[in-house]
Amino acid sequence: MTVDTGQVLSASVNVSSQKLLERIPHVAWLMSEEGEVLCVNNLWSVYIGRSSGDETINNDRSDLVSAEDKPLPTSYLCPQRFTDLLSPQERERFASTWVVAIRRQEPLELKLRLIGNLGNWEWFQVELEPDVQPDGTTIWIGTAMRLGGEAAIPGRQQSTQFLEALLAYASDGIVACDADGRLVLFNQMAQNFHGLPPEPLAPEEWAKYYDLYDGDGTRPLTKSEIPLFRALQGEAVVGQEMTIAPKDGMARSLLANATAIYSPTGIKLGAVVLMRDMTPYKQAMMALQLSERKFRAIFDGAFQFIGLVEPDGTLLEANQTALKFGGMAAAEAIGHKFWEVSGWKFSPAVQQQMRAATARAAAGEFVRYRVEIAGADDRLIPLDFSLTPIRNDRGEVILLIPEGRDLTQIEQAQSDRARLERYSERLASALQVAKAGAWYWELAENKLYWTREFEILLDYEPDSTQKTYSEWSQRIHPDDLQRVEAIVRETVAGRLPQHRCEYRIVCRDGSIRWLVGVSEIGTDEEGKVYLSGLISDITDLKRNEEALRRSEEFQRQILESNNDCIKVFDLAGRVLYMNHGGLSRLGIKDFTTIVNKHWSELWPSDAAEKIERALDLARDGKRGEFEGFCPTATGKPKWWEVIVTPILDGEGRVERILGVSRDITDRRDAAVAIQASEELFRYTFEYTPVGFAHVAPQGQFQRVNRKFCEILGYSSAELLQLTFHDITEPADLCEDIALVDRLLQDEIQEYTLEKRYIHKQGHHVWVSLTVSLVREIAPEGQLGAPSYFLSAVLDITHRKQLELTNQQQTVELQQLNTSLLLAQHQLTERNEELDSFVRIASHDLKAPLRAIANLAEWIEEDIKDRLCEDERQQFELLRQRVYRMSALIDGLLRYSRLGREDLATETVDVTQLIAETIDSLDPPVGFEIEMVSPLPTITAKRILLGQVFANLMSNAIKHHQRADGRIEIGAKDCGDYYHSMFKFLSYSSTIEGGSGF
């Protein structure tokens, strides 16, 4: 059953509470933590004047009595929510501070605007204090003091109240001054325009908060230009544009109308100005104009041909580039079919192709192809042409955008680039093989450019930026410098168009190197004079053969020590040389086993095509590259990066082929491992039985797995449009957000929370949520910026339902236990009644037995002289039967107490006990009961054991189908126990039987 907290709190409000509120000289009320107003004072009803049912509160308290416990009349228990009295702007501000005050149980104080009984808004200083009740609930005492006026508004005329409401709700700003020019009125909208604070403010302080400018917002208004001042001077101001710039706020463009105010007798009372906010309109117009200018500038300034075409092919617009190329005026092209424009008329086939392309684009297809178009001089140029369909909101094609890009320069540049690349590759290969460096010197700008080989030959630092003539000349040996500079001067002066010069340079380590240089002077296409040339190292020619041998040995050692596999092939692709590093990496112990073998024989068969292609490129003087798999001679798998280059002879012909193979197995394995790791993460993320989500710091879902979608019933695309706030039960959201803030502040590393999500179908889903924050990598000692939250979600709805079921079952068990206790109490009462009955019955039965015994004894004494032996035995039998019946009644009394009293354990002679039982049963004539074997003496509870024997024998006699029979009783000693045997025999059969056994 759900308990209405408001009803409970309302019921706790009594007359004493009302009296307390009436003593407060301001608007006062009591309310619950849910914001429900429980009780108000008289000033409340004067100002507010209504309840939540829009009925005026009865202020007549004559029906109140002095009894403290008497509940208040329903007219004072106003079930109105306090937030209904706040302006929409104030509700959010109040709600945030109200939640904190409730949690901390601390007083709350703030300024709020409340709505009055006439719909007007006024500022109040609101204070709320908690008051904990004896039952643990909290009632909040609220007071509101009106700012800038009294707490109540009695005596004001309705017209004044209507005017105040009209000013407060007017969408235009209204400002008024008196006849002396003093500002006396700013309505709410005018306060917003001027940036005035929400609290009441003295009129002389208003001008401190804003400045007035002209319509463009660039020039301050003089006093005579201010609309209110002009109106005060008697001028009617209509449609004046002006700008208000608050000191702390956004400037606004306003349209002002102003006029003077006169009394009915013609006395000037002042002036008023009405201001309408034109800011959004002006911004929209400026943005539209700017957008149109930008579009036209881009449209006409584009280098490519651009236009607009209707789906039927009619040309609507063409940019200046297209019109200028075709030598057409806009009127000659616009309005005609696109394929009938003069540029396509040179070829009917091109026109038909353009017509078909237009039809395809009108059907929604993006069309692009290469086509030629004729210009005004009948020159054909190639175009990269496309037609792009533009659709409306319904998906219908409403426009086509034709675009053509001139491919002339691109195709020419591609052709030139291809030729230049081929030339550069050949030149680079030639320079590399010849160990020559090239250089280029712009004399006017004194800029020197050189190749990598030039740097090496002159012993420059790699990628040196000191490319100047001075740097080069400093490298020349002092003994050769004067001669070389003289040759350079002659060449620059034009007296020596070409020259060849040998000279020495001093390397950084002090060694000497001989170089030979050749150069010539020339002029480029811009008329700039340049000097270009080549240098090569001739140091080896200047040394003896021993130095040459040492150099060759040094190079061989470099090759041998290289970890890459370096090979030399003949033009047929046969292996002529392989360095030691290559043999080691390939696991080849003897080079003679592979010499003169074709290179492809060392590779798997599927690599033959790659190898031949690379060899063909090298034979053509080009560089070939590929990656491939090739195991070593020992079978170890390896991946290789292979570069194949030609080796040229002295005449520049390809003489040999150089192959360099680098082991990239580790790199490939790392890439495969990364890919496998990413795939594992993706699979784990998607198929884990736990819901996972990546959530942006602002709350938007960035990535969700299938389980998360299954828990909430949304698709992945739908969740990516939502935030976690959207799917969280509002009552659980505050705690979640507080923990998120702690994560962002690095106060905690993660948190786990049980909360409720709202399923797509609307019902609640209980989840266990664990959240941690992933931050971006930051320098050591710094905290990385938040990247995303990692949320793990486990559906615990079933567990919650079980908890609820357990609670219900606990209540049921408690109820059942109460029933059992009641039944036990009733059983105890019944047992007590039974004990009483048995005692009474025992007494009532034993009294006649004693009388019979006494009577028999008296008769026997009186006639003992006349009794025969048989009669004397009958009297003895009568006394025994009476004693036995008395003993039986005592046993019955003890038997009735079984389970409530402990019977004594005693030594029992089983033979005697059975004999007494047989005698008490008095079997009918025809039945014999005989003990066929000795019976033991045991320790037992005599009454219970006798009852067992009596039941066995009486059942056998009672349920036997004949009037005669025989019962044999015996026992067998089994060591730790006795095995008793009862055997029933029918006289007409030897088969054992008998009911009751």
Side-chain angles (χ1 to χ4, degrees):
M1 182 178 68
T2 303
V3 178
D4 190 338
T5 305
Q7 293 178 0
V8 174
L9 293 177
S10 296
S12 67
V13 177
N14 50 36
V15 176
S16 60
S17 302
Q18 181 68 31
K19 290 181 177 179
L20 174 64
L21 293 181
E22 292 301 339
R23 295 192 187 101
I24 300 175
H26 306 295
V27 175
W29 68 97
L30 299 181
M31 73 179 190
S32 67
E33 291 189 344
E34 289 75 18
E36 182 181 352
V37 178
L38 306 174
C39 181
V40 299
N41 69 349
N42 193 48
L43 289 178
W44 169 290
S45 59
V46 171
Y47 179 71
I48 304 301
R50 70 189 192 283
S51 67
S52 63
D54 291 330
E55 297 178 358
T56 303
I57 296 178
N58 179 14
N59 295 311
D60 181 8
R61 296 184 296 157
S62 60
D63 58 342
L64 298 180
V65 295
S66 61
E68 292 293 326
D69 295 331
K70 180 179 178 180
L72 289 175
T74 56
S75 60
Y76 287 94
L77 299 177
C78 177
Q80 182 179 27
R81 298 186 67 83
F82 178 69
T83 53
D84 296 340
L85 306 178
L86 302 178
S87 66
Q89 297 85 356
E90 301 294 329
R91 288 176 186 170
E92 183 176 356
R93 183 164 67 93
F94 171 75
S96 60
T97 54
W98 174 239
V99 170
V100 175
I102 291 176
R103 184 172 64 251
R104 297 178 178 176
Q105 291 293 295
E106 295 178 352
L108 172 65
E109 181 178 342
L110 70 165
K111 295 178 180 178
L112 296 171
R113 285 197 302 160
L114 304 181
I115 189 169
N117 56 356
L118 296 178
N120 56 309
W121 298 93
E122 292 200 37
W123 283 95
F124 282 81
Q125 178 72 24
V126 177
E127 297 181 2
L128 291 166
E129 292 189 5
D131 182 16
V132 179
Q133 302 298 302
D135 60 357
T137 59
T138 301
I139 295 180
W140 290 75
I141 303 174
T143 60
M145 182 176 67
R146 192 179 183 192
L147 298 176
E150 298 78 11
I153 49 173
R156 294 192 176 184
Q157 297 298 325
Q158 186 173 0
S159 59
T160 303
Q161 296 171 344
F162 177 78
L163 178 60
E164 289 180 357
L166 179 63
L167 292 175
Y169 284 99
S171 60
D172 291 340
I174 303 173
V175 179
C177 67
D178 59 15
D180 297 327
R182 289 189 298 270
L183 297 175
V184 295
L185 172 65
F186 267 76
N187 74 335
Q188 182 61 47
M189 189 58 66
Q191 291 183 24
N192 295 341
F193 290 164
H194 292 75
L196 299 183
E199 296 81 0
L201 196 68
E204 59 269 15
E205 297 182 8
W206 291 347
K208 299 178 182 179
Y209 288 88
Y210 58 88
D211 293 312
L212 302 179
Y213 294 88
D214 61 1
D216 295 333
T218 57
R219 181 178 59 82
L221 290 181
T222 63
K223 181 177 181 181
S224 60
E225 294 175 318
I226 297 176
L228 190 62
F229 182 81
R230 292 171 58 191
L232 190 63
Q233 303 304 314
E235 182 180 352
V237 181
V238 179
Q240 178 179 347
E241 291 189 12
M242 58 182 293
T243 302
I244 295 181
K247 297 294 177 61
D248 185 14
M250 181 185 70
R252 296 177 182 272
S253 296
L254 302 177
L255 189 67
N257 295 321
T259 185
I261 303 174
Y262 296 93
S263 68
T265 59
I267 300 174
K268 182 184 293 184
L269 301 177
V272 63
V273 59
L274 275 70
M275 296 167 289
R276 176 157 297 178
D277 189 359
M278 304 294 290
T279 306
Y281 172 77
K282 292 196 68 174
Q283 291 175 343
M285 291 300 297
M286 292 174 63
L288 180 61
Q289 294 173 359
L290 179 61
S291 176
E292 290 179 351
R293 289 196 299 269
K294 288 181 178 179
F295 171 77
R296 177 53 64 180
I298 295 172
F299 187 74
D300 287 334
F303 289 104
Q304 63 267 34
F305 304 161
I306 303 177
L308 292 177
V309 177
E310 289 187 350
D312 64 356
T314 303
L315 183 64
L316 300 177
E317 190 67 70
N319 69 342
Q320 291 299 317
T321 303
L323 296 174
K324 183 178 180 181
F325 174 79
M328 299 176 291
E332 296 175 337
I334 295 175
H336 297 276
K337 297 298 181 182
F338 186 54
W339 52 84
E340 294 178 356
V341 175
S342 61
W344 313 115
K345 290 184 178 180
F346 74 95
S347 170
V350 171
Q351 285 184 300
Q352 183 60 34
Q353 183 184 26
M354 185 61 60
R355 187 169 187 170
T358 304
R360 288 165 56 195
E365 180 183 353
F366 172 74
V367 182
R368 182 180 180 182
Y369 60 96
R370 182 186 180 280
V371 68
E372 292 186 343
I373 186 172
D377 54 357
D378 294 331
R379 176 172 58 91
L380 295 179
I381 64 169
L383 288 182
D384 177 9
F385 179 76
S386 66
L387 280 168
T388 304
I390 304 300
R391 302 175 184 270
N392 60 13
D393 294 339
R394 297 187 300 275
E396 301 169 344
V397 177
I398 57 173
L399 284 176
L400 305 178
I401 298 180
E403 182 179 357
R405 191 182 300 273
D406 188 355
L407 297 177
T408 303
Q409 294 181 354
I410 296 176
E411 292 182 351
Q412 182 62 42
Q414 290 175 345
S415 176
D416 294 343
R417 186 183 301 109
R419 289 196 300 271
L420 181 61
E421 287 177 353
R422 289 195 297 272
Y423 174 77
S424 297
E425 288 177 358
R426 294 171 182 174
L427 178 60
S429 298
L431 292 176
Q432 184 177 3
V433 173
K435 297 181 181 180
W439 54 273
Y440 182 90
W441 182 15
E442 289 184 359
L443 299 178
E445 299 181 3
N446 193 25
K447 291 183 179 179
L448 191 60
Y449 306 93
W450 54 57
T451 63
R452 174 74 174 174
E453 288 75 15
F454 186 93
E455 289 182 347
I456 296 173
L457 291 175
L458 271 78
D459 195 30
Y460 286 162
E461 294 181 1
D463 300 322
S464 173
T465 58
Q466 298 174 336
K467 300 179 180 180
T468 64
Y469 175 82
S470 174
E471 173 63 19
W472 169 72
S473 63
Q474 290 176 7
R475 295 282 181 174
I476 300 176
H477 195 282
D479 295 342
D480 299 338
L481 181 59
Q482 186 175 359
R483 175 174 56 86
V484 173
E485 286 188 333
I487 294 174
V488 171
R489 284 194 298 271
E490 289 294 316
T491 304
V492 171
R495 292 186 290 271
L496 192 62
Q498 295 181 347
H499 75 266
R500 182 179 185 277
C501 179
E502 295 181 359
Y503 55 92
R504 290 168 293 177
I505 64 168
V506 180
C507 298
R508 287 176 292 172
D509 59 0
S511 61
I512 304 299
R513 178 177 299 170
W514 277 92
L515 300 177
V516 60
V518 293
S519 66
E520 66 178 2
I521 193 169
T523 305
D524 62 14
E525 61 276 6
E526 297 180 359
K528 297 180 180 179
V529 180
Y530 66 88
L531 196 64
S532 63
L534 295 173
I535 62 169
S536 58
D537 187 356
I538 59 171
T539 304
D540 294 343
L541 298 177
K542 300 292 183 177
R543 296 173 182 170
N544 54 34
E545 294 180 356
E546 182 62 22
L548 178 60
R549 187 190 65 79
R550 289 196 301 269
S551 175
E552 290 175 349
E553 179 64 18
F554 177 70
Q555 294 179 10
R556 189 189 68 79
Q557 291 179 358
I558 292 177
L559 291 175
E560 293 299 327
S561 63
N562 197 304
N563 287 327
D564 294 335
C565 181
I566 301 176
K567 305 165 288 294
V568 176
F569 314 107
D570 62 13
L571 296 182
R574 292 185 292 267
V575 179
L576 302 179
Y577 166 80
M578 182 179 292
N579 69 334
H580 178 74
L583 294 172
S584 176
R585 284 193 172 274
L586 287 174
I588 300 174
K589 297 181 179 179
D590 186 2
F591 174 67
T592 60
T593 59
I594 64 169
V595 68
N596 290 326
K597 282 189 176 182
H598 195 275
W599 187 27
S600 61
E601 296 180 30
L602 305 181
W603 288 75
S605 58
D606 57 359
E609 183 178 351
K610 296 180 181 178
I611 293 172
E612 284 301 327
R613 189 183 304 114
L615 291 174
D616 288 340
L617 289 172
R619 295 184 188 107
D620 292 339
K622 299 178 182 179
R623 174 189 176 105
E625 298 180 14
F626 68 90
E627 290 184 3
F629 173 78
C630 180
T632 65
T634 60
K636 186 176 182 179
K638 292 281 186 180
W639 280 88
W640 304 89
E641 180 183 58
V642 182
I643 299 176
V644 181
T645 56
I647 300 176
L648 306 180
D649 61 12
E651 298 180 359
R653 295 191 297 267
V654 178
E655 181 182 29
R656 296 282 189 273
I657 297 175
L658 175 67
V660 180
S661 301
R662 176 162 294 174
D663 185 358
I664 60 170
T665 305
D666 293 342
R667 189 177 74 191
R668 293 269 305 198
D669 291 345
V672 171
I674 291 174
Q675 183 179 1
S677 176
E678 292 176 350
E679 182 65 20
L680 177 62
F681 169 76
R682 186 193 66 78
Y683 185 86
T684 303
F685 184 86
E686 284 296 330
Y687 296 99
T688 182
V690 177
F692 277 107
H694 291 177
V695 185
Q698 294 77 25
Q700 296 88 357
F701 288 106
Q702 296 178 332
R703 184 177 184 179
V704 294
N705 71 346
R706 296 172 59 184
K707 185 63 177 179
F708 192 80
C709 297
E710 178 185 330
I711 291 173
L712 290 170
Y714 289 95
S715 67
S716 175
E718 290 172 333
L719 283 172
L720 296 183
Q721 303 300 318
L722 302 175
T723 67
F724 78 89
H725 309 80
D726 299 330
I727 63 171
T728 299
E729 165 61 31
D732 299 342
L733 190 59
C734 291
E735 182 180 3
D736 202 354
I737 292 176
L739 291 171
V740 167
D741 291 339
R742 295 187 64 190
L743 272 181
L744 293 172
Q745 297 300 323
D746 202 35
E747 296 178 3
I748 55 176
Q749 298 302 313
E750 66 175 23
Y751 69 86
T752 299
L753 172 70
E754 291 187 359
K755 59 180 282 187
R756 289 167 292 176
Y757 279 139
I758 301 175
H759 194 275
K760 182 179 180 181
Q761 296 179 357
H763 61 269
H764 284 144
V765 179
W766 274 97
V767 298
S768 176
L769 171 68
T770 301
V771 181
S772 58
L773 177 61
V774 178
R775 296 181 180 274
E776 296 178 355
I777 298 176
E780 186 176 356
Q782 297 183 15
L783 191 63
S787 180
Y788 62 89
F789 294 104
L790 177 60
S791 299
V793 177
L794 184 63
D795 188 350
I796 60 171
T797 304
H798 181 63
R799 193 194 79 193
K800 286 291 186 179
Q801 291 172 346
L802 289 178
E803 291 177 357
L804 179 59
T805 302
N806 288 339
Q807 293 174 359
Q808 294 173 347
Q809 291 177 348
T810 299
V811 174
E812 293 174 358
L813 287 175
Q814 290 174 348
Q815 295 173 349
L816 179 59
N817 186 44
T818 302
S819 300
L820 289 176
L821 290 174
L822 179 60
Q824 183 180 2
H825 178 69
Q826 293 174 347
L827 180 60
T828 302
E829 292 179 346
R830 298 294 185 272
N831 287 334
E832 290 176 354
E833 294 174 358
L834 179 60
D835 286 344
S836 177
F837 169 76
V838 170
R839 285 194 298 270
I840 294 171
S842 175
H843 178 271
D844 292 345
L845 290 175
K846 289 178 72 176
L849 288 177
R850 285 193 299 271
I852 293 172
N854 293 333
L855 182 61
E857 184 178 356
W858 294 340
I859 294 172
E860 185 179 7
E861 289 178 356
D862 290 342
I863 64 173
K864 63 181 178 178
D865 295 334
R866 294 187 299 244
L867 292 176
C868 64
E869 185 62 29
D870 183 51
E871 291 172 342
R872 195 173 285 114
Q873 289 179 359
Q874 293 296 331
F875 272 104
E876 181 64 28
L877 180 60
L878 175 61
R879 283 194 298 272
Q880 291 177 1
R881 295 294 174 87
V882 169
Y883 295 151
R884 193 169 297 152
M885 179 61 71
S886 178
L888 182 61
I889 291 173
D890 291 338
L892 179 61
L893 178 61
R894 289 193 296 271
Y895 182 74
S896 68
R897 295 171 181 168
L898 291 179
R900 291 176 286 118
E901 292 184 0
D902 232 353
L903 296 178
T905 301
E906 55 185 295
T907 301
V908 180
D909 184 348
V910 178
T911 302
Q912 180 185 355
L913 179 61
I914 290 180
E916 293 176 355
T917 304
I918 294 173
D919 186 60
S920 66
L921 288 177
D922 191 18
V925 178
F927 266 89
E928 296 181 5
I929 302 176
E930 182 180 358
M931 289 176 279
V932 297
S933 62
L935 299 176
T937 299
I938 62 175
T939 301
K941 295 180 180 180
R942 181 182 181 88
I943 295 176
L944 296 181
L945 185 59
Q947 189 66 41
V948 170
F949 290 148
N951 288 343
L952 287 171
M953 288 183 282
S954 63
N955 286 342
I957 295 170
K958 180 180 179 180
H959 297 288
H960 183 53
Q961 68 273 20
R962 292 172 57 87
D964 56 354
R966 177 182 174 83
I967 299 174
E968 294 179 354
I969 302 172
K972 182 179 179 181
D973 188 353
C974 296
D976 294 336
Y977 64 93
Y978 285 95
H979 176 64
S980 62
M981 297 177 293
F982 279 73
K983 183 181 293 184
F984 175 71
L985 299 174
S986 173
Y987 285 125
S988 62
S989 173
T990 59
I991 300 175
E992 299 179 4
S995 301
F997 284 81

